[in-house]
């Protein structure tokens, strides 16, 4: 699977989307959409083994999530055609008046285009994308974690701290339980040792004094 998830958005508002995967990538895509600057740009974000490529132009964002194995030329060729089809089908007044997922009727067309580029991408589109990538110098690659704000990082840190505190408490409780078990085990061993010592002493003395210790007392 090469192209996994694609969408068209106006700012942070998703107008249409299609996913070829059952997993939910909305958190990552929303984080990216919220950080896209208003100026026209092309950018790639890295998240685990996936790449999020997007083209932002005229207030619209065309984004696709792809396996990192396919590189960048094919996804950007896909985005170029996705942009052309969407802006041809919908007039600007329709686009900028639509609510969230208000143009999701375009989703199946996104899916068909994803399938086309995954199975047999048009060579002309790939050549055009290669030229565009060679000419445009502002296409950068960032890690998704880099777009988290300070507040989001603090929240993430607090979550991790709470988890670690819970784990530490569980460890301390387990350690106390182990110490108690070890204490009583040592007590049992000590009592058993004392009993064995007394028994050995009795056997030794009984050899000279008799079983009732009568010979020694007389």
């Amino acid at each position: 699977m090469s192209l996994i998830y694609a969408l068209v958005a106006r700012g942070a508002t998703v107008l249409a989307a299609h996913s070829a995967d059952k997993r939910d990538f909305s958190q990552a895509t929303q984080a990216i959409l919220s950080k896209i600057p208003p100026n026209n740009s092309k950018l790639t974000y890295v998240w685990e083994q996936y790449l999020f490529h997007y083209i932002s132009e005229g207030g619209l964002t065309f984004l696709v999530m792809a396996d990192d194995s396919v590189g960048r030329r094919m996804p950007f060729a896909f985005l170029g055609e996705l942009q052309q089809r969407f802006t041809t089908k919908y007039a600007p007044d329709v686009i900028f008046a639509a609510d969230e997922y208000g143009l999701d009727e375009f989703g199946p067309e996104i899916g068909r285009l994803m399938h086309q580029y995954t199975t047999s991408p048009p060579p002309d589109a790939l050549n055009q994308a290669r030229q565009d990538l060679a000419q445009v110098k502002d296409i950068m690659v960032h890690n998704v974690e880099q777009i988290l704000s300070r507040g989001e990082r603090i929240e993430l840190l607090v979550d991790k701290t709470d988890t670690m505190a819970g784990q530490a408490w569980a460890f301390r409780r387990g350690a106390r339980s182990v110490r108690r078990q070890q204490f009583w085990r040592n007590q049992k061993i000590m009592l058993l040792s004392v009993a064995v010592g007394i028994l050995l002493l009795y056997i030794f003395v009984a050899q000279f004094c008799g079983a009732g210790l009568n010979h020694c007392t007389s």
Side-chain angles (χ1 to χ4, degrees), residues 58-134:
L60 297 178
T61 299
F62 304 87
L63 181 145
V64 64
M65 175 184 176
D67 291 325
D68 58 1
S69 59
V70 302
R72 299 166 68 194
R73 187 176 63 172
M74 188 269 278
F76 274 103
F78 163 81
L79 290 174
E81 185 164 352
L82 176 63
Q83 180 183 20
Q84 187 272 330
R85 291 194 183 190
F86 186 80
T87 54
T88 299
K89 183 170 183 176
Y90 297 104
D93 56 340
V94 174
I95 294 174
F96 288 92
D99 296 327
E100 187 171 16
Y101 290 100
L103 301 177
D104 208 33
E105 61 186 25
F106 190 72
E109 188 164 348
I110 297 176
R112 288 190 291 270
L113 193 60
M114 289 171 62
H115 178 73
Q116 177 187 351
Y117 272 80
T118 297
T119 56
S120 55
D124 292 342
L126 292 180
N127 291 332
Q128 183 63 44
R130 179 173 56 189
Q131 295 174 11
D132 292 343
L133 291 175

Side-chain angles (χ1 to χ4, degrees), residues 189-199:
I189 293 175
M190 183 180 297
L191 291 174
L192 182 61
S193 299
V194 171
V196 171
I198 294 175
L199 178 62

